[in-house]
């Protein structure tokens, strides 16, 4: 299973953009990049996913490097509710549906 | 549309006992996955069921077993509980098969004494 590397923790100020990095140098051509987040005392929540092109949805944007060895989750305006552990996950669709979570990045947001 | 629900919320058992955890998927979701999350760690995949058949299993011993019912609700059973089984157990359901987006429930916190 391909591995991802994320910083253990990051801090942000409320209403400022946040860029959460993820390295995945051993990514294969069939791996999708998924991001989930887990708020305190809750189950993980799907955020966004992509394969090669940058993706936007109502929660966030995903910027994928041209060589696909890294990606960045972008929260455009952090709110206190965005404080969570963010997981970057590689998902190989031809090998079943499991999600392999790493340690994630714990994001704290200061008012 | 209701979300994924799990019961019970919390549970305390003693070593050697057996436990059954339940998960009710979102309406129409035909796939359920179970994960174990130890304190301070990311969730670890236990197994997945698709249309009542096991569709993949993680590195967990056979004393972890599951069922998916015709209404797509699911159970996780753990026999011969060990102290290390203390964790948050999460289930996640998917609408369009095993590779679709997974929607997680809030989890069941199991404590083994």
């Amino acid at each position: 299973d391909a591995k991802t590397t994320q910083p253990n923790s990051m801090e942000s100020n409320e209403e400022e953009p946040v860029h959460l990095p993820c390295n995945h140098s051993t990514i294969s051509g069939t791996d999708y990049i998924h991001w989930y987040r887990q708020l305190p005392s809750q189950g993980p929540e799907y955020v966004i996913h992509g394969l090669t092109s940058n993706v936007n949805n109502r929660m966030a944007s995903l910027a994928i490097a041209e060589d696909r060895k890294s990606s960045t989750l972008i929260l455009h305006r952090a709110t206190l509710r965005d404080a969570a552990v963010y997981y970057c996950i590689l998902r190989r669709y031809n090998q079943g549906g499991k999600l392999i979570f790493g340690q994630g990045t714990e994001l704290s947001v200061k008012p | 549309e209701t979300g994924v629900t799990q019961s019970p919320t919390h549970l305390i058992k003693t070593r050697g006992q057996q436990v059954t955890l339940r998960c009710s998927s979102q309406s129409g979701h035909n796939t359920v996955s179970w994960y174990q999350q130890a304190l301070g760690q990311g969730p670890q995949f236990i197994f997945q069921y698709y249309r009542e058949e096991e569709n993949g299993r993680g590195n967990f011993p056979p004393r972890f077993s599951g069922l998916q019912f015709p209404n797509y609700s699911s159970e996780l059973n753990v026999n011969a509980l060990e102290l290390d089984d203390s964790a948050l157990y999460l289930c996640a359901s998917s609408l369009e098969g095993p590779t679709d987006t997974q929607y997680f429930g809030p989890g069941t916190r199991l404590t083994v004494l």
Side-chain angles (χ1 to χ4, degrees), chain A residues 36 38 41-44 46 87 91 93 96-99 101-103, chain B residues 35 37 40-43 45 48 90 98-102 104-106:
Chain A
Y36 279 74
Q38 188 170 20
S41 302
Q42 294 188 26
Y46 168 78
Y87 296 98
R91 195 173 187 197
Y93 278 56
K98 66 182 176 183
L99 296 171
F101 290 81
Q103 292 290 102
Chain B
Y35 294 82
Q37 186 173 24
Q41 305 292 318
F45 175 74
Q48 182 182 77
L90 297 156
T99 57
D100 197 16
T101 298
Q102 296 187 9
F104 284 80

Side-chain angles (χ1 to χ4, degrees), chain A residues 60-98:
Chain A
S61 295
L62 176 60
I64 301 172
E66 201 168 324
D67 64 4
R68 300 212 323 128
K69 292 183 188 295
S70 65
S71 60
T72 303
L73 180 71
I74 303 165
L75 307 179
H76 295 286
R77 274 179 84 234
T79 69
L80 297 179
R81 198 193 169 277
D82 291 321
V85 178
Y86 286 78
Y87 296 98
C88 169
I89 299 165
L90 299 184
R91 195 173 187 197
R92 191 166 296 174
Y93 278 56
N94 61 359
Q95 290 184 4
K98 66 182 176 183

Side-chain angles (χ1 to χ4, degrees), chain B residues 16-20 61-65 77-82 85:
Chain B
Q17 285 189 311
Q18 178 265 341
V19 69
T20 298
R63 60 189 184 84
F64 285 79
S65 63
N77 298 291
V78 187
N79 293 323
L81 283 167
E82 301 177 359
D85 295 333

Side-chain angles (χ1 to χ4, degrees), chain B residues 20-23 34 47 65-67 69 73-77:
Chain B
T20 298
L21 310 181
R22 293 180 173 83
C23 173
W34 284 91
F47 44 56
S65 63
L67 277 175
F69 299 101
S73 65
S74 176
E75 283 182 357
L76 165 66
N77 298 291

